[in-house]
């Protein structure tokens, strides 16, 4: 029996050491692990020393080893108690418990050591088993032994109660974790009590140490409650946004969540779900397939929703089929959001038609994918759109833009694409068979006034580009259509303009002129030409200064090729200042030569009044060169004055007061001529024969109008210069009417100022 007992103890020791090695290898270094390891080691030591004690050959050595064994049991129980504290998280309520515990242990150790020599705690005596094999057994326990018992029972009970109380307060799934440790502790105690009271030969309770060590290791470090996993799975699946349906091997539904229920419209009825699942499998999953994905649309609460359904089979590690599951993903919002984002990326949010980039893309696709069809790019631009926003507010402007967008849809509806390029610019790419100008005019006429204001007339200009080279980018095609618009942008009569190569050349020329301006003005390429002005007596007292651009490679460039461009870009003010200064330099030179009564007349562009302080610049020049302001005649067009009469009339008055001679240039070519004459206090009225040339019955009408203008000017004390005089006949009747001065090719063309000086100044002309 002795050997069976000892072998069982050794077996238990080896088992616990295996557990110890296993936990050390799996160690994550936490406190609970250390506590488990202590329990395993101490228990192993208890069992080992107990088996040694049983094997001792004589009484004294048996007493010594049993005494040491008792001390190790103390440590084992302490380690168990420490483990339970860590495991349950329940701290001892006894103050300074640790200190008391170790003090009590120390006292027990001292008693056990004394016992080796005195036997004051217990004695040993030999007993023989059934096979008459003797061993030494603890006997003759003195009352001092009770101290040891109280110490270890107190520790064991406190651990036991901690486990019980933790178990009682824990949710059901966790209860077992504590109960399965409390039960072997209880059993150990029962066996120990039996051992003490019924004089068993061996302390069988020790064998349960191994069970406790193993359970501490298992529950403390590796155990995950099965119920916990089930609960977690259940709640995870229940709270998933996707619907889940799980089927077993027979196709029976073993689990489904709320969203799967909604998808199947099953109202939690298992049969309905199984029926729906069966239908889905038959329709979408062929028998040999392990996985499948498909899209589906369903009405959920009367709203159509979009789903992706994923089917997956489940197999065990030996590839045996276990069952399958369906994941039902509702992507309605996601799809709507993506579609909205795509819409935002491709459409103009104000008008709902394509935005610029998407229009370019789709128009390009249309043109390139239909090489057998001809296309037009049609662009639109609203004249003075900024004014609409400014005067009537942004909302009215927006309304107008929406209306124009609708117009584009009408134009492009047959075979085209249309979009908004920028604020008031729209474009249509249209198959040529559906394009005709009348239709476009009809449509543009539909928007002739503002949505809520009839007084403001809306003019839409249309530029048309015929697509010939399909490889040109659509943006460039639109630029070209817009260039065509530029040619009619100031016109109220013309609505449609077609792009042709001249427009492109003009544009290129425009860019060239602009880019060369700076260098031209700095290197003196702009020269002053003078056209003589002749009095009725044949005298030449001065002339008009007209600019000529003497280009190093292109030769002489006349003003009509660049003046308008400079006016548009604002460069005109720099050119005019330059020309005025040339005139002043010339007058200064004449003054120094004693020719101080001669004059030069300079042109002031309409734009100068916006870009410059004309008064300040001109008076400064006159002061700088100390010339008589009377020698500098200022030509201001009637249109420039009438654009802002109240300001201009005051300015003219100030300039006159300073001493300048003011000439109203191109009189008669503007709108309000005669009517405004009465308010104008200018010195000279300059009438251009040219403006009357193209009218019907030209001879008679021209004469009558001229006659009237001249007599009106005379009655207002103004001198009259007629320019554009080309024939002797014109000179004659102009003289009859009372015209004072003539300028025209009949007498001389504009010429370099040196020519004028040498050949015309101080000379008399026959009239
Ligand atoms: P404008 O001020 O009305 O100048 C008169 C234009 O009529 C000049 O053209 C002149 O050459 C032309 N002309 C004179 N007599 C006759 C004639 O008998 N028959 C015809 N068919 N034409 C005649 P030009 O020099 O080409 O100037 C054109 C316009 O350019 C000028 O019209 C003026 O508005 C502008 N311009 C010229 N130089 C300047 C300048 O320095 N500054 C500004 N702002 N404008 C200028
Ligand atoms: Ca002029
Ligand atoms: Ca003129």
């Amino acid at each position: 029996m002795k050997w069976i007992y000892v072998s069982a103890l050794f077996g238990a020791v080896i088992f616990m050491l295996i557990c110890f090695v296993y936990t050390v290898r799996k160690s994550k270094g936490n406190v609970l692990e250390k506590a488990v390891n202590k329990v395993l080691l101490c228990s192993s030591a208890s069992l080992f020393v107990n088996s040694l004690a049983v094997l001792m050959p004589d009484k004294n050595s048996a007493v010594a080893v049993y005494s040491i064994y008792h001390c190790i049991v103390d440590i084992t129980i302490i380690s168990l108690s420490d483990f339970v504290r860590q495991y349950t998280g329940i701290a001892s309520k006894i103050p300074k418990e640790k200190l008391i515990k170790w003090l009590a242990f120390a006292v027990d150790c001292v008693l056990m050591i004394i016992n080796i020599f005195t036997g004051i705690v217990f004695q040993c005596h030999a007993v023989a088993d059934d096979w008459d094999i003797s061993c030494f057994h603890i006997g003759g326990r003195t009352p001092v032994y009770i101290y040891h018992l109280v110490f270890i029972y107190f520790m064991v009970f406190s651990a036991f109660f901690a486990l019980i109380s933790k178990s009682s307060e824990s949710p059901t799934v966790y209860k077992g974790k504590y109960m399965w440790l409390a039960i072997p502790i209880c059993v150990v105690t029962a066996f120990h009590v039996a051992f003490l009271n019924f004089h068993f030969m061996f302390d069988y309770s020790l064998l349960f140490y191994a069970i406790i060590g193993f359970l501490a290791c298992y529950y403390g470090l590796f155990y995950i409650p099965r119920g916990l996993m089930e609960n977690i799975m259940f709640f995870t699946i229940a709270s998933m946004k996707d619907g889940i349906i799980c089927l077993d091997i027979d196709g029976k539904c073993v689990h489904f969540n709320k969203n799967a229920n909604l998808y199947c419209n099953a109202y939690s009825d298992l049969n309905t779900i199984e029926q729906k699942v069966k239908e889905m499998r038959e329709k979408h999953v062929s028998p040999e397939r392990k996985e499948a994905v498909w899209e589906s649309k369903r009405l959920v609460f009367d709203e159509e929703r979009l789903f992706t359904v994923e089917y997956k089979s489940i197999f065990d590690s030996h590839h045996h089929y276990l069952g399958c599951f369906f994941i039902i993903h509702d992507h309605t919002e996601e799809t709507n959001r993506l579609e909205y984002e795509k819409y935002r990326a491709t459409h103009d949010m104000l008008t709902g038609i394509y935005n610029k980039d998407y229009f370019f893309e789709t128009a390009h696709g249309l043109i390139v994918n239909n090489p057998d069809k001809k296309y037009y790019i049609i662009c639109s631009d609203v004249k003075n759109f900024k004014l609409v926003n400014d005067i009537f507010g942004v909302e009215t402007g927006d309304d107008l833009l929406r209306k124009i967008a609708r117009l584009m849809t009408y134009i492009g509806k047959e075979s085209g694409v249309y979009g908004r390029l920028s604020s008031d610019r729209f474009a249509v790419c249209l198959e040529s068979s559906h394009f005709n100008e009348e239709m476009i005019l009809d449509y543009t006429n539909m928007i002739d006034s503002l949505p809520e204001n009839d007084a403001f007339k809306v003019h839409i200009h249309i530029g048309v580009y015929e697509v010939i080279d399909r490889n040109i980018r659509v943006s460039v095609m639109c630029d070209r259509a817009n260039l065509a618009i530029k040619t009619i942008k100031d016109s109220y009569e013309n609505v449609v303009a077609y792009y042709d190569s001249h427009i492109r050349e003009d544009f290129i020329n425009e860019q060239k002129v602009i880019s060369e301006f700076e260098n031209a003005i700095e290197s003196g390429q702009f020269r002053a030409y003078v056209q003589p002005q002749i009095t009725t007596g044949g005298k030449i007292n001065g002339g008009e200064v007209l600019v000529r651009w003497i280009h190093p490679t292109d030769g002489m460039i006349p003003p009509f090729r660049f003046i308008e461009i400079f006016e548009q870009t604002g460069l005109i003010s720099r050119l005019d200042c330059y020309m005025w200064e040339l005139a002043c330099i010339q007058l200064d030179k004449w003054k120094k030569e004693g020719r101080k009564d001669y004059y030069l007349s300079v042109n002031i562009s309409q734009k100068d009044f916006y870009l410059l302080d004309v008064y300040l610049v001109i008076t400064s020049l006159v002061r700088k060169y100390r010339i008589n302001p009377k020698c500098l005649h200022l030509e201001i067009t009637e249109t420039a004055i009438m654009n802002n009469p109240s300001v201009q009339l005051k300015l003219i008055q100030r300039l006159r007061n300073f001493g300048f001679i003011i000439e109203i240039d191109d009189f008669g070519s503007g709108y309000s001529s005669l009517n405004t004459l009465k308010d104008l206090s200018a010195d000279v009225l300059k009438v251009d024969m040219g403006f009357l040339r193209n009218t019907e019955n030209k001879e008679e009408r021209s004469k009558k109008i001229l006659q009237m203008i001249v007599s009106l000017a005379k009655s207002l004390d103004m001198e009259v210069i007629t320019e554009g005089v080309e024939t002797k006949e014109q000179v004659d009747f102009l003289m009859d009417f009372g015209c004072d001065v003539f300028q025209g090719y009949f007498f001389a063309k504009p010429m370099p100022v040196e020519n004028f000086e040498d050949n015309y100044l101080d000379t008399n002309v026959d009239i």
Side-chain angles (χ1 to χ4, degrees):
M1 191 65 194
K2 177 171 114 182
W3 293 111
I4 296 172
Y5 178 68
V6 169
S7 306
L9 287 187
F10 269 108
V13 168
I14 289 166
F15 174 66
M16 279 192 283
L17 288 177
I18 290 170
C19 289
F20 173 76
V21 171
Y22 185 77
T23 53
V24 168
R25 289 179 77 179
K26 296 270 172 186
S27 167
K28 294 186 199 94
N30 63 37
V31 188
L32 190 62
E33 260 170 30
K34 284 180 190 152
V36 168
N37 287 341
K38 270 188 212 158
V39 171
L40 287 168
L41 278 182
C42 295
S43 305
S44 309
S46 300
L47 267 62
F48 181 70
V49 177
N50 186 272
S51 61
L52 281 184
V54 170
L55 293 175
M56 282 298 111
D58 60 74
K59 188 181 163 189
N60 286 344
S61 53
V63 169
V65 177
Y66 270 122
S67 296
I68 293 166
Y69 160 74
H70 279 84
C71 295
I72 294 175
V73 167
D74 286 353
I75 297 176
T76 305
I77 302 298
I78 289 172
S79 69
L80 180 68
S81 154
D82 285 351
F83 163 74
V84 170
R85 298 257 168 263
Q86 284 294 334
Y87 186 60
T88 57
I90 299 175
S92 170
K93 291 190 178 70
I94 302 168
K96 301 239 163 68
E97 185 245 14
K98 215 170 186 178
L99 182 69
I100 295 169
K101 188 167 71 184
W102 286 105
L103 269 177
F105 164 69
V107 170
D108 201 30
C109 282
V110 171
L111 287 173
M112 289 303 165
I113 290 163
I114 294 170
N115 184 58
I116 297 171
F117 307 105
T118 59
I120 60 156
V121 184
F122 61 83
Q123 296 287 317
C124 279
H125 51 255
V127 283
D129 64 8
D130 299 343
W131 292 278
D132 210 19
I133 296 168
S134 67
C135 63
F136 285 93
H137 175 71
I138 297 171
R141 292 183 182 88
T142 67
V144 182
Y145 194 80
I146 292 169
Y147 175 80
H148 171 75
L149 290 179
V150 168
F151 174 60
I152 58 165
Y153 277 114
F154 178 78
M155 299 290 283
V156 166
F157 282 130
S158 67
F160 176 76
F161 286 118
L163 287 167
I164 293 293
S165 100
K166 185 72 183 176
S167 171
S168 67
E169 72 190 29
S170 297
T172 316
V173 286
Y174 289 105
K175 281 193 193 306
K177 185 176 160 169
Y178 302 104
M179 281 308 287
W180 286 112
L181 267 169
I183 290 168
I185 288 175
C186 191
V187 172
V188 166
T189 315
F191 267 87
H192 193 249
V193 170
F195 167 70
L196 290 177
N197 292 305
F198 301 116
H199 303 292
F200 290 160
M201 196 171 169
F202 302 111
D203 183 358
Y204 297 112
S205 73
L206 278 176
L207 291 171
F208 287 91
Y209 279 34
I211 294 171
I212 292 173
F214 169 73
L215 292 176
C217 176
Y218 173 68
Y219 282 113
L221 305 182
F222 304 108
Y223 173 70
I224 297 167
R226 198 181 141 73
L228 172 69
M229 285 312 291
E230 277 171 9
N231 273 296
I232 288 175
M233 294 293 281
F234 180 81
F235 283 110
T236 310
I237 291 176
S239 61
M240 272 172 80
K241 286 201 177 103
D242 290 345
I244 303 273
I245 302 172
C246 305
L247 305 186
D248 70 4
I249 192 164
D250 303 318
K252 239 181 83 186
C253 179
V254 287
H255 192 72
F256 66 91
N257 65 1
K258 190 180 85 203
N259 289 327
N261 190 23
L262 279 177
Y263 175 79
C264 296
N265 282 328
Y267 303 102
S268 300
D269 175 33
L270 210 59
N271 289 338
T272 317
I273 290 195
E274 280 173 1
Q275 183 56 34
K276 286 269 162 64
V277 166
K278 200 171 156 222
E279 286 166 14
M280 279 200 296
R281 275 176 103 172
E282 280 167 6
K283 192 168 168 201
H284 298 285
V285 189
S286 47
E288 72 283 357
R289 302 223 18 207
K290 293 174 184 164
E291 290 181 356
V293 180
W294 64 91
E295 301 274 314
S296 102
K297 280 182 188 169
R298 290 266 166 137
L299 276 182
V300 177
F301 296 127
D302 292 334
E303 185 195 341
E304 189 179 73
R305 302 195 69 84
L306 305 163
F307 296 93
T308 307
V309 183
E310 203 176 333
Y311 164 84
K312 271 192 179 154
S313 309
I314 309 166
F315 297 87
D316 67 6
S317 52
H318 302 292
H319 306 290
H320 295 133
Y321 177 71
L322 298 178
C324 63
F325 65 90
F326 295 82
I327 301 174
I328 301 150
H329 177 64
D330 181 343
H331 57 86
T332 316
E333 272 81 32
E334 216 173 299
T335 310
N336 289 350
R337 187 173 46 77
L338 282 176
E339 269 177 16
Y340 180 66
E341 267 167 25
K342 191 179 165 208
Y343 180 83
R344 276 177 67 104
T346 55
H347 285 70
D348 168 48
M349 296 313 281
L350 176 72
T351 59
I353 63 173
Y354 289 166
N355 62 18
K356 181 174 81 180
D357 291 336
Y358 200 56
F359 167 76
F360 288 163
E361 198 182 314
T362 43
H364 177 75
L366 198 67
I367 293 166
V368 169
N369 295 328
N370 297 288
D372 49 323
K373 293 180 181 161
K374 282 182 75 184
Y375 287 95
Y376 282 104
I377 294 284
I378 300 158
C379 289
S380 75
D381 181 29
V382 181
K383 191 168 162 60
N384 294 330
F385 178 72
K386 282 194 182 73
L387 279 184
V388 177
N389 274 340
D390 244 31
I391 300 169
F392 302 100
V394 177
E395 271 179 23
T396 310
D398 286 352
D399 280 350
L400 178 62
L401 292 176
R402 277 189 279 264
K403 256 184 131 180
I404 298 173
R406 264 203 304 284
L407 188 84
M408 295 295 133
T409 44
Y410 298 149
I411 296 176
K413 68 173 181 274
E414 292 293 341
S415 62
V417 286
Y418 36 85
R420 182 176 173 209
L421 302 184
S422 62
S423 67
D424 62 326
R425 287 174 180 253
F426 293 80
V428 184
C429 174
L430 188 66
E431 205 187 310
S432 61
S433 56
H434 292 108
F435 170 81
N436 78 65
E437 196 179 312
E438 264 157 46
M439 173 230 357
I440 293 201
L441 287 174
D442 285 349
Y443 281 137
T444 48
N445 284 340
M446 282 160 61
I447 308 178
D448 60 347
S449 60
L450 278 184
E452 278 156 19
N453 196 314
D454 283 354
F456 188 91
K457 296 292 168 209
V458 176
H459 292 269
I460 298 174
H461 286 136
I462 301 284
V464 182
Y465 171 78
E466 186 186 350
V467 179
I468 296 164
D469 181 354
R470 287 163 196 266
N471 296 319
I472 295 177
R473 279 186 308 198
V474 177
S475 62
V476 175
M477 298 179 187
C478 290
D479 287 346
R480 292 184 174 177
N482 281 320
L483 276 180
I485 292 179
K486 252 183 132 185
T487 62
I488 51 165
K489 77 176 184 355
D490 295 325
S491 160
Y492 285 87
E493 290 82 36
N494 297 331
V495 173
V496 182
Y498 292 82
Y499 174 85
D500 62 26
S501 55
H502 295 302
I503 293 179
R504 187 158 174 264
E505 276 160 27
D506 287 352
F507 178 72
I508 291 170
N509 176 54
E510 203 175 302
Q511 298 307 308
K512 182 172 179 278
V513 163
I514 294 167
S515 67
E516 288 180 345
F517 173 80
E518 200 64 48
N519 179 43
I521 205 157
E522 259 158 36
S523 57
Q525 291 175 25
F526 293 109
R527 303 273 167 76
Y529 271 46
V530 178
Q531 189 174 29
Q533 292 178 341
I534 295 100
T535 62
T536 43
K539 278 201 72 184
I540 298 172
N541 297 324
E544 179 179 2
V545 175
L546 295 156
V547 66
R548 294 291 180 269
W549 184 345
I550 312 297
H551 194 277
T553 52
D554 299 350
M556 193 181 78
I557 308 175
F560 77 86
R561 296 258 309 270
F562 57 85
I563 290 288
E564 201 186 323
I565 299 169
F566 291 165
E567 283 186 329
Q568 280 162 10
T569 51
L571 293 171
I572 191 70
S573 58
R574 287 193 55 205
L575 177 66
D576 277 352
C577 290
Y578 180 78
M579 296 303 295
W580 301 337
E581 185 148 15
L582 286 187
C584 290
I585 291 169
Q586 192 59 43
L587 289 170
D588 181 38
K589 182 173 166 259
W590 287 344
K591 186 185 77 187
K592 286 173 183 153
E593 290 169 2
R595 297 157 144 176
K596 51 180 186 313
D597 292 331
Y598 297 114
Y599 70 89
L600 281 173
S601 136
V602 293
N603 288 285
I604 300 179
S605 161
Q606 182 178 337
K607 285 283 163 72
D608 291 334
F609 296 107
Y610 299 107
L611 301 166
L612 291 176
D613 183 342
V614 172
Y615 182 85
L616 184 75
V617 174
I618 297 213
T619 52
S620 309
L621 279 172
V622 166
R623 284 198 180 103
K624 181 175 169 190
Y625 293 98
R626 294 206 214 122
I627 52 172
N628 183 353
K630 284 228 165 336
C631 298
L632 193 64
H633 294 200
L634 307 178
E635 295 194 14
I636 304 169
T637 62
E638 180 204 4
T639 325
I641 298 165
M642 294 332 293
N643 263 351
N644 195 355
S646 55
V647 176
Q648 297 300 68
L649 293 177
K650 273 188 205 138
L651 176 66
I652 288 172
Q653 197 50 55
R654 282 173 71 208
L655 289 166
R656 285 189 82 198
N657 292 346
F658 192 86
F660 294 108
I661 303 291
I662 305 295
E663 299 183 8
I664 309 302
D665 199 3
D666 299 341
F667 187 81
S669 60
Y671 288 106
S672 46
S673 323
L674 297 173
N675 191 28
T676 51
L677 253 190
K678 60 176 171 20
D679 304 320
L680 257 174
S681 51
D683 303 278
V684 180
L685 205 64
K686 212 171 166 196
V687 194
D688 192 340
M689 290 284 304
F691 85 90
L692 297 166
R693 263 180 213 131
N694 294 330
T695 50
E696 294 161 31
N697 301 329
K698 50 189 178 186
E699 286 292 294
E700 282 317 302
R701 283 173 67 89
S702 312
K703 279 186 191 165
K704 277 184 187 153
I705 292 170
L706 266 176
Q707 190 173 15
M708 200 189 71
I709 291 174
V710 173
S711 65
L712 200 68
K714 293 269 121 192
S715 68
L716 292 167
D717 278 340
M718 290 166 100
E719 191 176 89
V720 176
I721 299 181
T722 312
E723 60 181 331
V725 180
E726 288 181 342
T727 60
K728 170 83 174 101
E729 191 208 338
Q730 287 171 348
V731 177
D732 290 342
F733 69 70
L734 284 167
M735 283 209 7
D736 288 348
F737 295 160
C739 176
D740 307 288
V741 179
F742 308 100
Q743 179 185 341
Y745 292 173
F746 178 70
F747 298 102
K749 288 193 169 182
M751 63 195 73
V753 67
E754 304 82 29
N755 278 11
F756 175 72
E757 240 176 359
D758 296 345
N759 303 324
Y760 286 87
L761 218 53
D762 295 330
T763 58
N764 269 316
V765 177
D766 289 335
I767 290 195

